[in-house]
Amino acid sequence: MHSGTTVARAPGALPGVGHLAAFLRAPLAFLRGLPAHGPLVEILFGRQRVVVVCDPGLTRRMLVQDRIFDKGGPLYERLREAGGQGLASCPAHEHRRQRRLIQPAFQQSRLPGHARVMSERMDALVPALGNGRTVDLTVETRKIAADMVISAIFGTGLDQAVHQRLAEDFHTLLAGFTRYSLTPAPLRKVPLPAYVRYQEATRRVRRKMADLTTEYRARGTGGERNLLSMLIEARAPESDQPALSDDELVDQAVTMYSAGTETTASAVCWALVLAARHPDVQRRLRDEIGTVLGGRTPGWEDVPRLVYTRQVFNEALRMYPPGWFLTRTVEADTTLGPYALSKGATVAFSPYLTSHLPTLYRNPEVFDPDRWTPGERGPEIPTGVFGGGARKCIGDGFALVEGVLLISALLSHWDIELHPDGLAAPRLPQLTLNPGRVRATLRARGSGATAAAGTARTARPS
Ligand code: HEM
């Protein structure tokens, strides 16, 4: 690093491993402890130095300089193995072109159409979950969220078996992602069963997406308006050549699936779990959903009236932001505030850390959906949960609608009885902050049984 204020190193680095053991043991507690050491804090993953930006102002400043703080670092290197050079992982010089092509599919005016598809799919999937069945809510919400994203990409006609296979491989990929990313390159070549499973799942997800894309193209878009049809029809500027090659289409399909499934599912699941542990919140949520929906599946026109549901979703996003630890690579010697950073440095930021800063949120450890009461001063969504600058989440509007629709659809049809021993802390670190296994029994609303609100003991991820 060149001259400038020195970045403090977090205490507790051990020879050889640095802070890796502490990070892997209890990543959230580790992150919460970092701001005490300064606005920028250096940590060591083995020999790899990572500068964690702990100050929200400096995080924003970093995110808007996306050409200097480019996508890179161990997480994005792994993401490229699955999603190639798709929108989420491509470098800045490629990003503007892709974002321009894809943005129309996510603009505000498209949300009612997305919501209609979501509602149609939820109507097929949510009531079919099965009265009296005991399920893992993490798995079920993920399956439904995967269906939402796949339907937005390919339209609604996919076979359920395809969904199932993709979901299984994707689960393996996500479960191993962060651990695999933090493993030094030579060790990743060791054929440990977990690594082999991860690599094979990555290859299968990509291959399946390639098959689906080829089939879709061969079938013709038939006038459908979905993400893939828009990308297939997109033309390069001043030419009639396709703007994206076949490989690039697959990159985008894998990217949307990876970026859009587990994120929303995880926040929805946390919202259900947190509400169940807070009987007052649960009661208000049920009252609102009962009044607005009267037992049916929600649609776009219900969203503005599901105000408290949105507050609960927001608060779940704040407490457990799905994208919790993200990295960048410094492309040229630069400064961030008074700190000098050298080309090649790895910088990280953490929406989890930001959303637990007492300077931004009073009692950040407390689950309080009333923070998000409309008209209260402050942001409308938790600061930083969707990133910022040019690389801000393209699916933020999609996710906010989907979250409200899915929470309300589930609670409109089901009383969800969490099992007291049903919550197992997730094996962190994972790519998203999902709550781990959540065992719950579903009872049709109005069937007489009541939800055991507040009775569950939660193994809180640390
Ligand atoms: C609650 C749900 C979601 C959360 C919390 C979330 C969070 C994020 C965050 C933090 C980033 C920025 C990553 C970075 O700067 O390194 C991001 C980017 C992205 N997200 Fe989301 N996301 C969610 C849902 C979705 C959905 C539903 C989709 C698509 C259907 C999606 C697609 C993307 C894509 C493509 C990017 C890359 C954007 C770019 O670089 O231009 N996300 N998301």
Side-chain angles (χ1 to χ4, degrees):
M1 275 172 212
H2 53 105
S3 62
T5 306
T6 309
V7 177
R9 179 174 291 176
L14 297 173
V17 291
H19 301 94
L20 194 53
F23 182 81
L24 290 177
R25 200 167 44 243
L28 303 185
F30 181 80
L31 288 173
R32 285 197 304 272
L34 290 182
H37 308 296
L40 261 61
V41 179
E42 183 183 86
I43 60 176
L44 293 173
F45 288 154
R47 292 220 202 108
Q48 161 114 51
R49 291 158 188 263
V50 178
V51 174
V52 183
V53 185
C54 300
D55 175 78
L58 293 180
T59 304
R60 241 187 332 270
R61 226 185 284 175
M62 174 193 70
L63 288 174
V64 295
Q65 299 179 67
D66 63 309
R67 286 177 193 271
I68 294 183
F69 296 94
D70 204 351
K71 289 279 175 107
L75 288 181
Y76 281 106
E77 282 158 23
R78 293 293 79 67
L79 204 58
R80 283 177 189 144
E81 287 169 2
Q85 299 284 339
L87 185 66
S89 50
C90 69
H93 65 80
E94 169 60 22
H95 181 253
R96 298 290 189 277
R97 176 182 82 98
Q98 291 195 17
R99 183 95 187 195
R100 251 195 310 273
L101 288 171
I102 298 172
Q103 189 72 53
F106 288 96
Q107 67 201 19
Q108 188 70 19
S109 64
R110 303 268 308 173
L111 288 181
H114 287 310
R116 189 181 40 72
V117 173
M118 288 175 196
S119 183
E120 204 180 296
R121 295 304 302 145
M122 283 179 203
D123 211 29
L125 299 170
V126 172
L129 283 170
N131 196 10
R133 253 186 87 214
T134 293
V135 297
D136 179 347
L137 276 186
T138 295
V139 172
E140 298 305 325
T141 50
R142 185 183 293 156
K143 276 194 209 154
I144 299 173
D147 192 303
M148 304 293 110
V149 176
I150 288 282
S151 302
I153 302 174
F154 295 103
T156 48
L158 275 194
D159 187 46
Q160 277 310 302
V162 174
H163 279 291
Q164 179 72 23
R165 183 73 240 177
L166 265 174
E168 277 163 21
D169 282 334
F170 199 59
H171 177 79
T172 311
L173 194 159
L174 286 171
F177 189 87
T178 305
R179 209 164 274 270
Y180 189 76
S181 299
L182 294 173
T183 308
L187 284 182
R188 288 201 298 272
K189 296 203 178 80
V190 178
L192 295 177
Y195 294 170
V196 173
R197 270 200 306 278
Y198 171 85
Q199 289 156 348
E200 285 176 351
T202 306
R203 274 194 291 274
R204 275 199 303 267
V205 166
R206 230 191 125 70
R207 210 177 313 125
K208 191 72 230 167
M209 286 294 186
D211 292 348
L212 288 173
T213 309
T214 313
E215 279 165 30
Y216 187 85
R217 199 198 261 290
R219 209 168 64 227
T221 58
E224 274 182 344
R225 296 298 285 163
N226 52 50
L227 181 61
L228 200 59
S229 70
M230 289 177 69
L231 294 180
I232 288 174
E233 284 160 15
R235 290 291 167 263
E238 295 166 35
S239 112
D240 62 353
Q241 293 304 306
L244 294 170
S245 68
D246 282 4
D247 245 18
E248 287 174 325
L249 287 176
V250 177
D251 286 351
Q252 301 306 350
V254 176
T255 296
M256 293 301 156
Y257 191 69
S258 335
T261 296
E262 170 78 5
T263 40
T264 320
S266 157
V268 166
C269 206
W270 271 120
L272 296 171
V273 168
L274 290 164
R277 288 163 59 204
H278 296 81
D280 286 353
V281 173
Q282 180 85 310
R283 210 168 304 117
R284 282 175 70 186
L285 196 53
R286 285 195 183 291
D287 283 352
E288 175 175 276
I289 293 167
T291 308
V292 175
L293 302 180
R296 63 181 166 79
T297 304
W300 167 252
E301 61 292 343
D302 298 309
V303 174
R305 292 192 294 151
L306 293 164
V307 177
Y308 191 65
T309 312
R310 165 74 187 265
Q311 288 177 223
V312 172
F313 186 55
N314 255 2
E315 183 65 347
L317 275 173
R318 182 193 70 80
M319 288 202 73
Y320 297 107
W324 59 288
F325 187 74
L326 298 152
T327 55
R328 294 290 189 269
T329 297
V330 177
E331 291 298 319
D333 288 355
T334 189
T335 54
L336 193 55
Y339 301 97
L341 297 168
S342 300
K343 180 173 162 46
T346 298
V347 178
F349 66 103
S350 164
Y352 175 84
L353 183 160
T354 305
S355 65
H356 285 76
L357 286 172
T359 44
L360 290 186
Y361 300 99
R362 200 152 46 91
N363 301 328
E365 293 305 307
V366 175
F367 173 66
D368 177 14
D370 282 333
R371 292 178 205 279
W372 307 103
T373 305
E376 293 285 296
R377 284 191 341 183
E380 279 183 19
I381 49 168
T383 306
V385 294
F386 291 108
R391 308 304 295 249
K392 179 163 183 265
C393 179
I394 201 168
D396 54 352
F398 184 103
L400 289 170
V401 170
E402 184 188 348
V404 169
L405 291 182
L406 186 48
I407 294 168
S408 56
L410 286 163
L411 293 179
S412 182
H413 289 283
W414 302 107
D415 277 328
I416 297 174
E417 188 184 315
L418 293 191
H419 289 212
D421 61 348
L423 291 135
R427 289 180 52 222
L428 282 173
Q430 295 194 5
L431 186 56
T432 64
L433 271 190
N434 67 74
R437 189 196 64 193
V438 181
R439 264 158 55 82
T441 300
L442 305 177
R443 310 224 182 263
R445 291 244 54 203
S447 67
T450 50
T455 55
R457 263 185 288 123
T458 305
R460 184 173 177 278
S462 53

